Amino acid sequence: MAIVIDDDACMGCEACVETCPDAFEMNGDGDKAIVKETDAEADCVDEAIDACPAEAITKS
């Protein structure tokens, strides 16, 4: 399973990072979320997808 964040849609609200810090973090500029390569299979990913107000996170 790959987790994809639509960079154009991401608002940088940090909802995914707060909901699932094992799988998401903010980029170096702190303005967009990125998927951590270490634990993209975390149990909280679906919850983070639901929490995203921009609907920018998908699984493929």
Side-chain angles (χ1 to χ4, degrees), residues 2-13 16 24 27 31-35 49 52-60:
I3 301 167
V4 179
I5 298 177
D6 181 339
D7 196 49
D8 292 330
C10 179
M11 313 183 314
C13 69
C16 60
F24 300 96
N27 66 8
D31 62 348
K32 301 284 181 174
I34 58 173
V35 178
I49 290 171
C52 179
E55 299 181 352
I57 308 168
T58 56
K59 292 193 289 188
S60 58

Side-chain angles (χ1 to χ4, degrees), residues 3-55:
I3 301 167
V4 179
I5 298 177
D6 181 339
D7 196 49
D8 292 330
C10 179
M11 313 183 314
C13 69
E14 299 188 37
C16 60
V17 176
E18 292 173 8
T19 305
C20 192
D22 290 338
F24 300 96
E25 63 188 353
M26 297 305 286
N27 66 8
D29 294 333
D31 62 348
K32 301 284 181 174
I34 58 173
V35 178
K36 288 183 177 179
E37 292 183 25
T38 56
D39 198 358
E41 299 282 330
D43 293 335
C44 53
V45 170
D46 288 334
E47 187 178 347
I49 290 171
D50 292 340
C52 179
E55 299 181 352

